Amino acid sequence: MNIALIAHDSKKELMVQFCIAYSGVLSRHNLCATGTTGKLVKEATGLQIQRYLGGSQGGAEQIVARISCNEIDVLFFFRDPISAKSSEPNDMNVLRVCDVRNIPVATNIATGEALIHALERGDLDWREFIKV
């Protein structure tokens, strides 16, 4: 599966810790991420990650474009709903495209763990059976 990673600045360390904890699962999939998030995760885990531009430079939009083209199967978007900066990815644009394309998305650690365990069990293979 193709998995995308995005994290607001205040959630980048949480994303790194999450990816360290679940590197075994993530290593079996194709990963991409916005610039700094991808750099931090790669440095901490050694996972192979295709990096896009930073979130403030259009990296989230690059991932949204891949979602729109059915090239992303799962999104982990650890966001800060309280103190997000205006330069960070627009949550609603990202979430809207995921809803339109039926892409499972985790926006916090609780949904992230639920989604990673579903990935580990193979519960997300439903996309093979439908056209989106």
Side-chain angles (χ1 to χ4, degrees):
M1 294 201 136
N2 295 316
I3 299 172
L5 309 172
I6 302 173
H8 283 165
D9 288 348
S10 64
K11 301 295 181 175
K12 287 190 189 316
E13 182 58 30
L14 179 63
M15 179 66 80
V16 168
Q17 294 304 315
F18 177 82
C19 291
I20 289 170
Y22 295 107
S23 62
V25 177
L26 294 170
S27 68
R28 296 190 295 266
H29 300 280
N30 300 314
L31 305 177
C32 67
T34 51
T36 304
T37 300
K39 177 180 183 274
L40 294 171
V41 169
K42 183 174 183 161
E43 288 173 352
T45 64
L47 291 168
Q48 292 300 312
I49 301 175
Q50 179 181 1
R51 288 177 49 212
Y52 291 106
L53 296 171
S56 63
Q57 285 117 15
E61 287 79 7
Q62 289 177 298
I63 290 174
V64 165
R66 288 199 62 201
I67 292 169
S68 297
C69 295
N70 290 322
E71 296 173 357
I72 298 293
D73 301 303
V74 177
L75 173 63
F76 291 92
F77 180 12
F78 288 0
R79 62 193 195 103
D80 184 345
I82 305 298
S83 58
K85 300 173 188 165
S86 62
S87 63
E88 293 179 321
N90 182 314
D91 301 10
M92 295 317 297
N93 288 342
V94 175
L95 298 176
R96 182 180 303 110
V97 171
C98 288
D99 286 343
V100 168
R101 292 308 207 178
N102 290 314
I103 301 301
V105 58
T107 60
N108 57 52
I109 192 69
T111 56
E113 289 191 337
L115 197 51
I116 200 84
H117 290 300
L119 266 172
E120 190 171 31
R121 290 188 307 266
D123 292 348
L124 298 179
D125 292 338
W126 59 270
R127 288 178 56 89
E128 295 176 13
F129 304 105
I130 64 170
K131 285 191 172 185
V132 192

